[in-house]
Amino acid sequence: MVEIPKRWRVAPLDNPSFADPKTDDSSWTESDGSPKDGSQESKSPSGVIWYRTKVVVPSPLLREAERRHRSDLVLALGRLHAADETFVNGTLVGHTGSLPPKVGLDGRSRRAYRVPIALLHPDAENLVAIRVYGRRGGRLMGGPFQLRAPEWTDYLHAEIGLGRGDGAFDADKPMNLSLALQNDAPASLTGNLTCTMRTDDFKPIQDFKSRVDIPSGHRKDFSFLAHPPKPWVYRVDFEFQPDGSTETLKQSMNLVYGPEKIELPLTREPNFKEFWDRTRRELEHVKPEFKLTPQTGKFESKTQDVYLIEMKSLGGVTIRGWYCAPKKKGKHPAILETPGLGGEVWPASWEGLDDFAVLSLNIRGHGNSTDDVPAANPA
């Protein structure tokens, strides 16, 4: 295994030539690749940032991989924020999520890309270049950054079934918990598969176990019929351990059983109606003073006009958000978007909603609406 030096060159611009080893990056800013080093994020007009570093690959590592009949090594980068395309010596070796114009963010998956041995230069410098996109600028998350021989976990891919397609299951029949395993390893994998259903506070409800044999190059589907005690949100944990290995492959997801039948207890205080009526009366005397400011740079869109929106709310406090209106003339469906607790919303021009008029409003204490309440999640 080779530890990749945490000496990254960083450019808050987007240019395909940055993947080319011949590109001169000597004037770029340096970074150690830690998540706290976000000095370049706000400087990126597109949200795309390039990171480049060089690593010397010792020939014994390549010979060991060949001796084990491996035709590639694995480039491990840890998590990235939040979509990436990764290149080695100018060649794309992997990507996670998708970059503009059709954005798909994935800041949770650990990147592990297979690099063909034929692509590497033994006992010489090899360029690793990462094109990372994030809503406020892409960034590395501290690694670990490694080039290593592949493990069986790099070849086995798991996908949890989503019920009727959206992670929800009908309440009038058992919950069919399914997992697909794709084995791209050069040999079969045989071992034990465990499925555990838990409550939303992680208490186990049901356990299932099965012996598994997956031939090389094959995909197999496994399913277990669970009987949840009531309509609710449940956590499902799958775990596979091959015979003779101490490592396991784990995959987890929250799934919903009978969402239409979930009944939540009312938690409002006895005087809520009085409070709500009084607040509405106070708000009626506040002039909104709406203000729309056209946005350029990283917020620009070919299909939408993007605005910063500001307005007065209760107590005369300014709250803010973003308004995206289609450039195309005519009537359009409208969406009001607000953040979850501790989150924030950004212009919908990043989300590919080209034909929608979208008001993304940050409630006070969230995003750019923090004049009177500190950010709920300052990180």
Side-chain angles (χ1 to χ4, degrees):
M1 180 180 68
V2 178
E3 295 285 346
I4 297 176
K6 293 186 177 181
R7 296 190 298 273
W8 296 90
R9 297 278 187 174
V10 187
L13 301 169
D14 192 18
N15 189 320
S17 69
F18 293 166
D20 190 339
K22 297 178 182 178
T23 296
D24 182 10
D25 59 13
S26 59
S27 63
W28 292 17
T29 304
E30 290 190 359
S31 169
D32 62 1
S34 69
K36 294 182 179 180
D37 185 3
S39 58
Q40 299 300 305
E41 293 178 29
S42 61
K43 299 178 182 179
S44 172
S46 66
V48 174
I49 297 182
W50 280 83
Y51 293 82
R52 289 168 44 117
T53 193
K54 293 177 180 178
V55 56
V56 175
V57 182
S59 53
L61 178 63
L62 301 180
R63 289 197 297 268
E64 173 62 18
E66 291 173 342
R67 186 185 67 81
R68 296 167 60 183
H69 304 290
R70 300 290 195 262
S71 60
D72 48 36
L73 297 180
V74 170
L75 176 63
L77 302 170
R79 295 185 178 94
L80 301 180
H81 180 82
D84 74 284
E85 295 174 345
T86 298
F87 303 80
V88 173
N89 292 333
T91 298
L92 179 68
V93 296
H95 68 90
T96 302
S98 56
L99 284 75
K102 295 299 183 182
V103 175
L105 304 181
D106 184 348
R108 300 182 62 184
S109 298
R110 294 185 178 275
R111 276 55 165 179
Y113 300 134
R114 293 160 64 177
V115 182
I117 290 176
L119 191 62
L120 299 169
H121 308 309
D123 300 319
E125 288 186 333
N126 295 264
L127 175 70
V128 177
I130 311 174
R131 180 178 179 237
V132 195
Y133 171 81
R135 289 178 171 176
R136 288 178 289 175
R139 66 179 184 269
L140 307 185
M141 299 297 289
F145 309 115
Q146 300 169 339
L147 193 63
R148 56 173 174 78
E151 306 289 344
W152 68 264
T153 51
D154 298 314
Y155 292 110
L156 188 64
H157 308 286
E159 182 180 350
I160 295 178
L162 297 179
R164 60 194 190 195
D166 54 0
F169 295 75
D170 295 331
D172 56 353
K173 53 187 175 183
M175 197 170 179
N176 184 19
L177 307 178
S178 63
L179 180 75
L181 291 175
Q182 172 71 38
N183 180 18
D184 293 328
S188 296
L189 288 171
T190 302
N192 296 311
L193 176 64
T194 302
C195 173
T196 303
M197 170 180 274
R198 304 177 187 274
T199 61
D200 55 354
D201 57 355
F202 303 105
K203 295 178 181 178
I205 300 175
Q206 289 180 273
D207 285 297
F208 307 92
K209 294 182 179 180
S210 177
R211 286 290 292 173
V212 169
D213 180 25
I214 315 171
S216 172
H218 284 67
R219 168 190 168 116
K220 280 198 171 183
D221 298 304
F222 305 91
S223 62
F224 308 93
L225 290 181
H227 299 271
K230 64 176 182 178
W232 201 250
V233 178
Y234 296 94
R235 178 183 174 90
V236 177
D237 298 325
F238 287 97
E239 184 172 322
F240 173 69
Q241 183 174 23
D243 296 341
S245 175
T246 58
E247 294 189 51
T248 59
L249 178 72
K250 298 180 180 179
Q251 195 84 354
S252 300
M253 184 175 289
N254 290 330
L255 301 173
V256 188
Y257 182 60
E260 298 85 359
K261 297 184 178 181
I262 292 178
E263 296 183 1
L264 297 174
L266 295 178
T267 58
R268 67 183 184 186
E269 298 293 332
N271 63 344
F272 176 79
K273 188 177 186 307
E274 176 187 344
F275 158 79
W276 186 248
D277 292 341
R278 183 179 68 251
T279 301
R280 291 284 300 274
R281 288 194 298 270
E282 292 176 7
L283 189 59
E284 288 176 357
H285 296 287
V286 177
K287 294 183 179 180
E289 299 179 19
F290 295 114
K291 181 180 178 182
L292 288 172
T293 305
Q295 300 296 291
T296 58
K298 67 187 294 183
F299 298 122
E300 280 187 288
S301 168
K302 294 181 180 180
T303 59
Q304 291 179 312
D305 294 317
V306 184
Y307 303 88
L308 167 69
I309 183 171
E310 300 174 273
M311 59 178 288
K312 298 295 184 181
S313 183
L314 190 67
V317 173
T318 299
I319 60 174
R320 301 175 180 85
W322 312 94
Y323 175 59
C324 295
K327 293 179 183 291
K328 186 168 57 177
K329 301 299 183 182
K331 292 184 178 181
H332 302 277
I335 297 175
L336 171 62
E337 179 187 25
T338 57
L341 181 62
E344 62 182 302
V345 290
W346 288 86
S349 56
W350 282 327
E351 307 297 343
L353 299 172
D354 298 345
D355 295 322
F356 289 79
V358 185
L359 173 60
S360 303
L361 186 64
N362 282 304
I363 59 176
R364 60 180 67 196
H366 294 68
N368 53 359
S369 299
T370 56
D371 286 10
D372 68 328
V373 180
N377 184 9

